[in-house]
Amino acid sequence: MSACPTTLPTSRPTEACPAADCADVNASCRLPVLTLFAGAAFWLVVGAGFALIASIKFHAPGFLADFAPLTYGRVHPAHLNALAYGFAVQAGLGVTLWILAQTSKARLALPGGVFIGALLWNLGVLVGVGSVLGGGSTGFEFLEFSQAGSVSLFFAYLLLALSGVLTFANRTVPSACVSQWYLLAALFWFPWIYTTATALIGCVPVRGVTLAVIAWWFANNFLFVWLGLIGLGTIFFLVPKFAGRSLHSRQLALLTFAILLGFGAWAGIPASAPVPAWLPALSAMGAFLSLVVVIAVAFNLKQTVGKYLCTRSEPSPKFIGASVWFLMLFTLGNATTACAAVAATTGFTWLTPALTQLGLCGFFATAMFGAVYYIAPQLTAAEGCCARPAKIHFWLNLPGVLFLVGPLAVGGIKQGLALSHTATPFADVTKATLPFLRASTMGDLFLLLGALLFSVNLGRLICGCIKKCCGAAGCCRTKSEVAS
Amino acid sequence: MLRRGGLLPHQIGGGVMNRGPVIFFSAFLAFAISFFAFVLLPQTQIGRQPLATVDGVANAYPAARPGEAHQGAEIYRANGCVTCHSQQIRQTGNVFDVVLTDAGTNLTAVLTAMNNHLNPAVEFALTDVTNALPKTILKAVPTKAAAEALSKKFTEAGAKTDLRVMPVGPDIARGWGLRRSVAADYLYDTPPLLGSQRVGPDLANVGMRLPDANWHLVHLYQPRAVVKDSAMPPYRYLFTTRKIGATPSADALVFPAGFGPEAGYEVIPTDAARALVAYLQSLRVDASLFEAPMTAPAK
């Protein structure tokens, strides 16, 4: 077996590859990847802002109620979509392209295409979020964007993914690393599920509940499988770097990969859905088998890290560690609530959005923060410069997720129990749930502050880089670039 | 370059995955299976489902929503009512009521059957057999077989009985519906606004439960005018408030005492609000279907 970056015994976390290659690779990634990160940071703030507005409405239903675009039923989906498409996909693709270039030891292919793709993607998100706020939502969760927005997203994605695939094809090291499986599969996965869902919902006249099944299928394939692939691909790349040794077991990572794709892709149909019973049953089986992911990932990372990770105080490993915990809770929660017996109580309660947020803001966003704080300083030649503010971000993000997900989950369970106790009038069910919703506003507030800090940190890195560009003759160079 | 010999076996696993096409095809296989099971099969099984036959009339259910209600569904979708309201009733099972419809001619035999098979604590009289028919003689028998066995005792005595199928479950006990929702109920709904949240009550049958248009309009304009401490947001932007002209408008909302606009003003629903209410009034699931049988309560 030939050299694979994840199996190289690197001890310094910032050294992704030997100096000479690194210079070129980072230079080719700088503009496109930073553009994706900047777009992601923008939508993160927008999404977190919308979340806070939506949350405040549970303190005072009249808050901003007379302005139609900010009514709860529009601002809430706008928040989720801004986070999912604006932040998550964009940050995920930025990280993916960089890791693929690094592990392939090849320059990023089509950097111009990525830049245009990033602009087109942001345009698509803008049009989509605008359509939701303007009342043009399709009414399907995570597919609310209008067709104009979706089409723009689709073509933007093709440009971005093409660059990733070509970069991999140009690899100068012959073998693929574990994280490359995950990231490449993810690059392919999204257009398949996205075209299937948007085409069947938007163009081909499919009727009634089948539409809902397709939307559930998509939402799960996006939230669990796609985010899972990107997140785990990132984690499996970074953790060995932090620990300074190779990933414990490629076989376990392969098993995780197979289960996530093979069975994770079955989950997502709610147990109570008004469809033939075999559908939710098959889906529950998929969710249940996905528990293997939890065990395999936990064991693999534990064996890789040994006692190393805990002794590190850099921000990136902290984020990644938290992210792994959130992934485990998320998968566990999904499997539990897929059980028909549990879903009878928890279905239609706040536990469902709590789990969505655990996956999106907990697992995925946290992993992306870790990755961006690792990658962006390398791209801007400012290694180690934002460690302190990044650490503050960590301490805003962690309580943010906990204060958001915790109250929603507990409130959801209480709500479910109260709803099944039919002697409790509905007004009392609401009364029992509201305090939890109000407590979760705290989480939204922390997450918004975290998002702002993240943007400031990223903005400072980018500004520093631009300043250096204008000051020195060449553009900002990493230490290794200068050395070469 | 690392030598193979330097690595433990588990560190070189998955070697076949090192090729791009292998990654592509393994992902595609997983996608294809998932697509087949969750997109294609449901489409062939329920996507082409014909309208249901109800009471022997083919293609009778569901009825297409009338024009205004159809527009109302668009208002409902555009304003995201689905983020807080589900439209889907769940059911834990059925129970069966046995109803005596005709006592027949051999009244004493029926009376004996009553005394032998019904509540042993009650001594039935002949008047119980003949009075107030049809009457439910047994409520909530948990299985169909048991209910049928019991009604057989009565048919053997020459009486006629009916078996009523009564769906049960918390949603039904809350009065949100008569039976569980099934795929056939949504054939005309594009998009089907099933919802995933019950911040507010389920609305699958709200037209049956709350038929009054003025109630809905006032509730949309100012939920707290009709429901104390309602957590539902107001939709004042679907209404116009104007000075009362020479004659008050017939369309103006009628508020309960202590609510409504200041004196001299009236609140008029826009077309959107009216359509939305027509849609809410059209929400009713009251047909017994093969896959979700029920006996509708006597009207």
Side-chain angles (χ1 to χ4, degrees):
Chain A
M1 186 177 134
S2 36
C4 165
T6 48
T7 58
L8 275 178
T10 42
S11 52
R12 299 229 330 261
T14 51
E15 225 171 37
C17 52
D21 302 304
C22 217
D24 254 9
V25 171
N26 272 334
S28 71
C29 287
R30 184 169 299 129
L31 176 68
V33 170
L34 285 177
T35 310
L36 285 168
F37 286 172
F42 172 75
W43 288 112
L44 179 68
V45 173
V46 172
F50 285 159
L52 190 64
I53 293 177
S55 189
I56 290 175
K57 287 172 190 275
F58 287 107
H59 300 254
F63 175 69
L64 295 178
D66 292 335
F67 183 50
L70 292 185
T71 188
Y72 181 83
R74 298 191 190 178
V75 86
H76 181 76
H79 133 71
L80 279 181
N81 281 282
L83 277 188
Y85 294 97
F87 169 73
V89 176
Q90 229 177 160
L93 287 176
V95 170
T96 300
L97 293 182
W98 185 83
I99 294 180
L100 282 177
Q102 290 288 320
T103 52
S104 304
K105 290 194 185 157
R107 285 186 202 182
L108 189 70
L110 293 182
V114 175
F115 182 69
I116 294 172
L119 295 186
L120 196 57
W121 182 271
N122 282 291
L123 183 71
V125 178
L126 189 67
V127 171
V129 169
S131 70
V132 172
L133 294 181
S137 150
T138 63
F140 295 100
E141 266 178 287
F142 285 104
L143 288 167
E144 279 101 342
F145 283 0
S146 66
Q147 239 169 43
S150 312
V151 169
S152 172
L153 289 188
F154 176 74
F155 286 107
Y157 189 94
L158 286 192
L159 279 173
L160 297 167
L162 189 65
S163 158
V165 175
L166 288 180
T167 307
F168 177 75
N170 292 341
R171 64 193 182 280
T172 57
V173 282
S175 76
C177 306
V178 168
S179 61
Q180 284 179 324
W181 313 337
Y182 283 78
L183 299 176
L184 278 175
L187 285 185
F188 298 131
W189 198 259
F190 185 80
W192 293 337
I193 58 169
Y194 198 60
T195 26
T196 305
T198 47
L200 288 179
I201 281 171
C203 317
V204 187
V206 175
R207 280 210 296 190
V209 171
T210 324
L211 287 170
V213 173
I214 294 167
W216 285 320
W217 172 83
F218 171 81
N220 170 68
N221 267 297
F222 175 66
L223 278 177
F224 185 50
V225 182
W226 196 83
L227 295 187
L229 284 172
I230 299 267
L232 281 176
T234 307
I235 289 167
F236 283 150
F237 174 81
L238 288 177
V239 169
K241 292 263 178 292
F242 298 148
R245 41 156 129 175
S246 57
L247 188 66
H248 169 69
S249 166
R250 289 167 63 88
Q251 281 156 351
L252 261 184
L254 181 63
L255 178 74
T256 312
F257 179 76
I259 299 274
L260 187 59
L261 278 182
F263 295 121
W266 294 5
I269 312 290
S272 64
V275 293
W278 64 267
L279 264 170
L282 190 65
S283 203
M285 199 175 86
F288 192 72
L289 286 173
S290 303
L291 283 176
V292 176
V293 169
V294 181
I295 300 160
V297 168
F299 182 74
N300 212 351
L301 292 182
K302 180 81 192 51
Q303 292 299 97
T304 307
V305 166
K307 57 186 188 302
Y308 292 87
L309 196 61
C310 314
T311 59
R312 290 204 178 275
S313 61
E314 282 116 48
S316 286
K318 273 196 155 71
F319 277 107
I320 296 294
S323 160
V324 172
W325 279 106
F326 291 142
L327 171 68
M328 295 200 279
L329 287 176
F330 175 53
T331 317
L332 203 63
N334 271 348
T336 317
T337 52
C339 261
V342 178
T345 306
T346 61
F348 298 119
T349 69
W350 283 95
L351 188 61
T352 317
L355 285 174
T356 305
Q357 298 285 15
L358 186 60
L360 196 59
C361 300
F363 157 62
F364 192 75
T366 307
M368 288 304 110
F369 295 143
V372 170
Y373 283 128
Y374 179 82
I375 297 168
Q378 296 191 42
L379 290 180
T380 54
E383 277 101 332
C385 93
C386 59
R388 256 185 72 87
K391 230 177 276 174
I392 300 175
H393 180 195
F394 178 83
W395 287 112
L396 288 172
N397 186 62
L398 185 69
V401 174
L402 294 179
F403 282 135
L404 176 63
V405 174
L408 289 188
V410 177
I413 292 167
K414 278 197 83 155
Q415 179 194 7
L417 292 174
L419 276 175
S420 13
H421 185 254
T422 51
T424 312
F426 189 84
D428 291 352
V429 178
T430 309
K431 218 177 276 169
T433 325
L434 273 179
F436 292 95
L437 299 184
R438 291 176 179 165
S440 77
T441 308
M442 186 87 122
D444 284 311
L445 191 66
F446 272 106
L447 286 179
L448 178 63
L449 291 177
L452 286 168
L453 186 60
F454 176 71
S455 305
V456 169
N457 290 345
L458 193 66
R460 276 181 43 200
L461 285 175
I462 295 175
C463 285
C465 180
I466 294 172
K467 250 186 225 149
K468 263 184 252 166
C469 279
C470 305
C475 198
C476 36
R477 286 158 174 268
T478 55
K479 276 176 221 136
S480 42
E481 279 174 79
V482 177
S484 68
Chain B
M1 290 254 181
L2 280 174
R3 273 163 297 113
R4 188 174 204 127
L7 294 172
L8 299 168
H10 61 247
Q11 289 174 319
I12 54 174
V16 69
M17 293 296 292
N18 293 348
R19 295 191 195 94
V22 179
I23 301 173
F24 178 87
F25 283 113
S26 48
F28 190 75
L29 181 71
F31 169 76
I33 293 172
S34 162
F35 177 87
F36 177 76
F38 290 95
V39 179
L40 213 56
L41 276 187
Q43 166 63 7
T44 42
Q45 190 179 358
I46 50 179
R48 308 220 168 104
Q49 190 173 28
L51 297 186
T53 301
V54 175
D55 297 335
V57 183
N59 292 341
Y61 181 86
R65 291 188 203 292
E68 201 183 16
H70 186 76
Q71 287 162 20
E74 295 290 286
I75 309 295
Y76 188 95
R77 173 188 57 70
N79 290 289
C81 309
V82 72
T83 49
C84 287
H85 289 286
S86 63
Q87 286 187 19
Q88 187 200 324
I89 302 301
R90 297 174 299 177
Q91 169 181 337
T92 47
N94 285 311
V95 296
F96 301 85
D97 286 1
V98 181
V99 181
L100 186 65
T101 50
D102 182 353
T105 47
N106 191 352
L107 295 182
T108 40
V110 177
L111 181 61
T112 319
M114 275 177 126
N115 280 326
N116 286 350
H117 303 293
L118 303 187
N119 189 350
V122 180
E123 180 70 32
F124 292 96
L126 211 54
T127 48
D128 288 321
V129 180
T130 50
N131 277 2
L133 294 183
K135 78 168 154 209
T136 309
I137 48 174
L138 261 176
K139 264 187 147 9
V141 182
T143 67
K144 192 169 185 182
E148 273 170 350
L150 269 161
S151 53
K152 197 158 160 247
K153 307 274 192 238
F154 287 88
T155 40
E156 279 166 356
K160 286 193 183 129
T161 57
D162 242 4
L163 214 58
R164 286 179 179 269
V165 186
M166 313 295 281
V168 288
D171 292 1
I172 292 162
R174 277 192 184 277
W176 285 349
L178 302 174
R179 61 155 169 85
R180 72 191 173 98
S181 304
V182 292
D185 296 328
Y186 305 91
L187 279 178
Y188 276 117
D189 292 333
T190 305
L193 297 154
L194 292 167
S196 59
Q197 280 280 92
R198 283 180 178 165
V199 184
D202 188 278
L203 298 183
N205 284 285
V206 74
M208 227 187 290
R209 181 161 79 235
L210 296 164
D212 180 8
N214 185 65
W215 187 92
H216 280 296
L217 289 168
V218 171
H219 182 249
L220 285 170
Y221 181 81
Q222 192 180 4
R224 290 186 176 187
V226 280
V227 179
K228 189 168 167 283
D229 290 335
S230 172
M232 174 157 145
Y235 288 87
R236 289 182 286 254
Y237 62 83
L238 296 175
F239 298 81
T240 47
T241 304
R242 65 180 187 202
K243 240 194 163 89
I244 299 179
T247 48
S249 166
D251 292 339
L253 268 54
V254 184
F255 284 92
F259 293 93
E262 51 185 302
Y265 285 83
E266 58 187 4
V267 177
I268 311 288
T270 58
D271 289 346
R274 255 191 285 261
L276 181 57
V277 170
Y279 171 67
L280 292 173
Q281 288 173 311
S282 79
L283 288 171
R284 47 173 66 233
V285 174
D286 52 5
S288 172
L289 299 179
F290 172 73
E291 64 271 37
M294 62 155 187
T295 309
K299 297 229 165 82

